[in-house]
Amino acid sequence: MTREEILNELKKVIAPYTTNKEMLDGINDQTDLIRDLKINSANLVDIIIDAEAKYNIEIDYDSADKMINVGSCIDVIYDKLDQK
Amino acid sequence: MAKRVVITGMGVVSPNGIGIPAFLNAIQKGISGIRFVPKYEDLHMSCHVAGIPEFEWDNLKTYISEVSFHGLKGTNIAYGITAALDAWADAGLPYDTDEPRWETGCVFGNSAPDSEATKNVINKVDNREVKKLGSRVVEQTMNSGVTSFISGRLGLGNRVVTNSTACATGTQAILMGYEYIQSGLAKRMLVGSGEYIDSYIFGTFDSMRVLSRKFNDQPERASRPMSASYGGFVPGSGAAAFVLEDLDFALARGARIYAEVLGGCANSGGQRGGGTMTAPNPAGVTRCISEAMENSGIKPGDIDLVSGHLTATMADKYEIQSWAQALGRSGKNFPLTNSVKSMIGHCLSAAGSIESVACVLQIVHGFVHPNINLEDPNPEILSIVDTECLPTSMIKKEINIIAKANFGFGDVNCCLIFSKFKN
């Protein structure tokens, strides 16, 4: 799976947790989940759980802590997929 | 000086009608909201009927944000949000606010937090899948989940309380809101209660053998308060809410006023003198009614209508005895008396608030709703009250003062006095 493909899938995972749909359409590596997409910090946990289910991977606590912006989310998912 | 407290908004999610117009139509016509529930038969329960609102889950999207909607599963919370936000809009108030509304608080009650949501937690924890629970579980399994959703959506900044006193929860929520405004602690209170009788709550009552089981093939006839052929209560679900306001505060904003809460009383029989976990101490009940009248500055003769607890169990006759004793009225002199439960069943924590909506509607529209399924009044009740006082079809009549009471497990009582608003 390419980073581009993961980005497009990630948009679907994030969608239910942001009301900022315009921003979601134009997200890039630098988009911050809390600051830019106004995602409630508690919902980051749900995004991680949804991503685990979607990609059939396990995201450990240390990796989850890195998932602050879109780029780091893709990095973590890419690495975990690579380790499978 | 004590403030006067008026009702300026109402919302209801009832088995026989969602929204005030539908509910008004249903109670005027005596429409039953009791249905056969195949699941309860499958689960080998004795009672196969219940009052469950015809609730459209997707409608919730018009009340709360998409993010809040996503992952919401608690039915009790959904009922509560709908009733509370409908009441708020009915009072002519906007949902959105940037600043907390410091003058407005909330007392909203329920019995158990959502037990289906709790079951999901138990299963996942036992399966070693704690990590999959996510962030939305706590808010739906904590008892204050409903008040948290309501106060968050509306930015309520005064005291926000979740009350729980079994079947007296709804009436007590209204009384608590009344007391906060009356004493000057809040200008406005959003009050009410909700209940969702899922299989787990339903099962506990079924096992107690207090539920109706003889009318499973005739659901609409199953809830029979004060009848000789009563056979236990029919569980119901739903929610209702009120906006209560300080009279001067309401008048200043030109609010429409439905009725006035004159006062009330909440007490307990202490599980003494015949009172137990499940049966009220008659002395507690009569005292509760008497003190409610005293606190409201009314006399027994002022009461036009009694909206009873009257669940369709053997307790109905004892309840009528207590009313007769507290009011010193009997025979043809007994007030008109009805039970909303004949149409919607016993909505437990939601009973007091839904039934109070019926009370206010009867005051506003000048009628007494029928007791359905009362073709055979219990002779023991008729030895106290004349049959004319227990209407089986709607009566058009000016109603000025209603006494509304509910009595709950744990021997807790609550009685409210509602009045037509006269400035």
Side-chain angles (χ1 to χ4, degrees):
Chain A
M1 207 177 235
T2 66
R3 288 183 65 89
E4 183 71 22
E5 284 167 339
I6 294 176
L7 175 77
N8 286 326
E9 289 297 308
L10 195 60
K11 274 186 192 173
K12 292 178 202 161
V13 171
I14 292 172
Y17 303 103
T18 178
T19 45
N20 199 346
K21 299 294 183 221
E22 278 175 36
M23 177 66 91
L24 184 66
D25 280 341
I27 57 173
N28 57 43
D29 279 7
Q30 277 70 51
T31 308
D32 185 286
L33 300 185
I34 293 176
R35 200 181 57 234
D36 299 325
L37 290 172
K38 314 284 181 215
I39 292 171
N40 176 336
S41 60
N43 284 148
L44 294 181
V45 172
D46 303 306
I47 290 173
I48 289 161
I49 292 169
D50 289 355
E52 286 183 321
K54 184 152 195 98
Y55 301 106
N56 193 25
I57 52 177
E58 246 187 70
I59 299 172
D60 56 89
Y61 282 5
D62 288 343
S63 303
D65 286 346
K66 293 178 200 153
M67 295 167 72
I68 295 162
N69 60 27
V70 170
S72 58
C73 286
I74 296 174
D75 288 342
V76 168
I77 293 166
Y78 193 87
D79 284 350
K80 298 291 174 192
L81 283 171
D82 200 39
Q83 287 163 21
K84 270 173 70 169
Chain B
M1 205 183 101
K3 312 284 187 186
R4 288 174 70 185
V5 180
V6 291
I7 295 166
T8 58
M10 298 194 289
V12 66
V13 175
S14 166
N16 68 349
I18 297 175
I20 297 298
F23 183 63
L24 171 63
N25 178 60
I27 61 170
Q28 285 186 323
K29 293 186 178 150
I31 295 171
S32 173
I34 309 299
R35 315 262 182 272
F36 171 65
V37 185
K39 187 179 181 184
Y40 299 148
E41 187 177 38
D42 290 347
L43 288 169
H44 294 203
M45 304 219 186
S46 305
C47 174
H48 302 161
V49 297
I52 299 175
E54 292 178 334
F55 188 77
E56 304 237 357
W57 191 264
D58 272 357
N59 270 355
L60 270 178
K61 288 181 188 165
T62 60
Y63 295 95
I64 53 176
S65 76
E66 193 189 335
V67 173
S68 208
F69 177 80
H70 178 77
L72 181 61
K73 294 191 177 72
T75 308
N76 178 43
I77 291 173
Y79 290 166
I81 289 171
T82 303
L85 295 182
D86 278 354
W88 191 259
D90 187 45
L93 298 163
Y95 290 159
D96 295 328
T97 178
D98 290 330
E99 287 295 311
R101 292 175 157 118
W102 303 115
E103 76 296 329
T104 305
C106 178
V107 180
F108 210 91
N110 38 239
S111 51
D114 197 276
S115 55
E116 283 180 11
T118 306
K119 180 194 173 193
N120 170 48
V121 173
I122 291 169
N123 284 343
K124 285 217 165 67
V125 170
D126 287 352
N127 286 335
R128 301 179 169 84
E129 295 176 324
V130 172
K131 282 184 186 169
K132 289 187 185 170
L133 282 170
S135 80
R136 298 295 302 277
V137 171
V138 175
E139 68 194 35
Q140 296 180 62
T141 53
M142 65 185 192
N143 209 32
S144 56
V146 190
T147 43
S148 303
F149 271 92
I150 295 167
S151 59
R153 178 68 182 89
L154 298 174
L156 305 185
N158 208 287
R159 55 194 65 194
V160 171
V161 179
T162 305
N163 71 311
S164 194
T165 42
C167 314
T169 299
T171 22
Q172 194 178 51
I174 298 168
L175 180 63
M176 289 169 78
Y178 161 86
E179 288 169 345
Y180 293 150
I181 297 171
Q182 190 211 30
S183 58
L185 292 170
K187 293 288 187 194
R188 183 190 292 129
M189 294 294 294
L190 180 51
V191 299
S193 60
E195 181 79 53
Y196 176 57
I197 288 283
D198 61 31
S199 310
Y200 308 104
I201 304 278
F202 192 108
T204 58
F205 285 102
D206 197 77
S207 173
M208 277 187 82
R209 304 183 184 209
V210 292
L211 302 188
S212 166
R213 60 179 188 278
K214 291 177 187 158
F215 290 85
N216 284 338
D217 53 343
Q218 297 170 282
E220 294 180 358
R221 297 188 66 209
S223 186
R224 313 179 65 75
M226 299 185 284
S227 146
S229 51
Y230 72 87
F233 78 78
V234 174
S237 293
F242 294 85
V243 175
L244 303 182
E245 291 184 68
D246 172 315
L247 173 62
D248 295 333
F249 189 67
L251 290 175
R253 72 176 185 94
R256 176 261 331 267
I257 295 171
Y258 277 120
E260 181 167 359
V261 183
L262 289 183
C265 175
N267 74 354
S268 166
Q271 299 181 37
R272 298 289 186 278
T276 66
M277 179 59 78
T278 55
N281 172 352
V285 170
T286 53
R287 197 181 172 92
C288 182
I289 297 166
S290 298
E291 287 189 17
M293 291 189 291
E294 194 182 320
N295 294 341
S296 304
I298 65 157
K299 299 271 178 284
D302 298 332
I303 294 173
D304 298 310
L305 175 65
V306 165
S307 174
H309 185 54
L310 300 168
T311 60
T313 65
M314 64 174 297
D316 290 2
K317 66 173 184 246
Y318 300 119
E319 179 182 336
I320 294 292
Q321 275 171 6
S322 293
W323 282 108
Q325 194 183 343
L327 303 182
R329 295 171 66 177
S330 60
K332 285 187 192 307
N333 186 38
F334 198 81
L336 289 164
T337 299
N338 57 16
S339 172
V340 191
K341 292 184 181 78
S342 62
M343 294 178 265
I344 64 173
H346 184 358
C347 298
L348 302 173
S349 279
S353 56
I354 297 176
E355 293 164 11
S356 290
V357 172
C359 290
V360 174
L361 289 173
Q362 290 172 99
I363 288 171
V364 172
H365 297 276
F367 72 99
V368 176
H369 73 70
N371 293 289
I372 69 168
N373 301 321
L374 192 55
E375 58 271 15
D376 59 338
N378 184 340
E380 289 181 272
I381 288 175
L382 290 185
S383 70
I384 307 167
V385 177
D386 192 90
T387 185
E388 284 174 22
C389 304
L390 312 175
T392 54
S393 55
M394 183 180 77
I395 297 172
K396 285 296 277 184
K397 186 178 190 297
E398 186 179 354
I399 299 296
N400 286 299
I401 292 187
I402 300 184
K404 163 81 231 137
N406 292 102
F407 312 110
F409 277 12
D411 197 2
V412 288
N413 312 307
C414 189
C415 181
L416 295 171
I417 307 292
F418 293 108
S419 161
K420 190 181 279 268
F421 173 65
K422 290 171 185 153
N423 203 0

